[in-house]
Amino acid sequence: MKNNNTSVYWNIYPAAIALAGIIVFIFATFGPPASSSGFVSALKGLLQAVAPDYAASKAHYQSIPGPGSWLLAFVLGMAIGGFIAGRTFPRPVRDVPEIWEAKFGPGRMRRYVVTFLGGFLILFSSRLAGGCTLGLFISGSTQLAVSGLYFGALIFGAAMLTSRFIYGKQKGR
């Protein structure tokens, strides 16, 4: 993908078209809801092999497709797509963003630990609410569901507040 060297992001138009194409493809082949719960599909396949009665007795495992479904392919596709995007981007990808380095120093371990904790909090919170972030936001908002749009507004609002809390007000912003 071509990109000018003055921007740190991809051009919004090809990125939006690519995202919309992926969502339409998933909806057309798998159907809503698109979800990133691929690990649950893999776990279901493992449990079916070692404890088939247990897997068959749980309603949650009955409601999701097994391994080899789009759920696992979707998660693998995100990882592979992220890797390809990082390697084809014209500027080197930094493990520690400049804004983080200016505030907390160049150490990678602190960055990794805080990133993991943040991801865990998001996952825990979304499971506590009985859903997943991708299923509600991506699938819900693309279907113009009020709950998906509402959740998206809350995600971005919380992200902006968290960013302001962690980094403080930056000069010129």
Side-chain angles (χ1 to χ4, degrees):
M1 173 176 283
K2 284 241 175 213
N3 194 0
N4 63 23
N5 288 331
T6 60
S7 175
V8 296
Y9 301 106
W10 284 8
N11 186 314
I12 190 170
Y13 299 110
I17 290 170
L19 180 61
I22 289 170
I23 291 171
V24 168
F25 178 74
I26 291 170
F27 276 51
T29 57
F30 179 70
S35 174
S36 63
S37 301
F39 76 95
V40 181
S41 293
L43 181 62
K44 177 182 178 181
L46 176 68
L47 288 174
Q48 285 175 329
V50 297
D53 294 335
Y54 177 79
S57 67
K58 299 298 179 190
H60 181 69
Y61 292 124
Q62 294 172 3
S63 66
I64 59 171
S69 70
W70 272 111
L71 294 180
L72 187 58
F74 189 54
V75 172
L76 290 175
M78 287 191 293
I80 293 169
F83 179 80
I84 292 171
R87 296 301 175 255
T88 58
F89 200 66
R91 298 173 83 181
V93 177
R94 296 176 53 119
D95 289 339
V96 180
E98 292 175 13
I99 190 171
W100 175 274
E101 188 174 321
K103 181 84 174 181
F104 301 106
R108 291 180 177 180
M109 187 52 65
R110 179 184 289 176
R111 171 73 178 167
Y112 293 157
V113 168
V114 171
T115 301
F116 178 81
L117 290 175
F120 177 78
L121 285 174
I122 291 171
L123 178 65
F124 180 77
S125 302
S126 57
R127 294 309 302 167
L128 190 65
C132 77
T133 54
L134 187 66
L136 184 54
F137 179 55
I138 300 288
S139 294
S141 63
T142 54
Q143 297 175 74
L144 298 178
V146 174
S147 61
L149 297 171
Y150 177 71
F151 184 66
L154 290 178
I155 286 176
F156 285 108
M160 287 188 278
L161 289 174
T162 303
S163 177
R164 179 59 62 99
F165 175 73
I166 291 175
Y167 297 117
K169 187 171 184 175
Q170 302 291 309
K171 289 182 179 178
R173 294 183 183 196

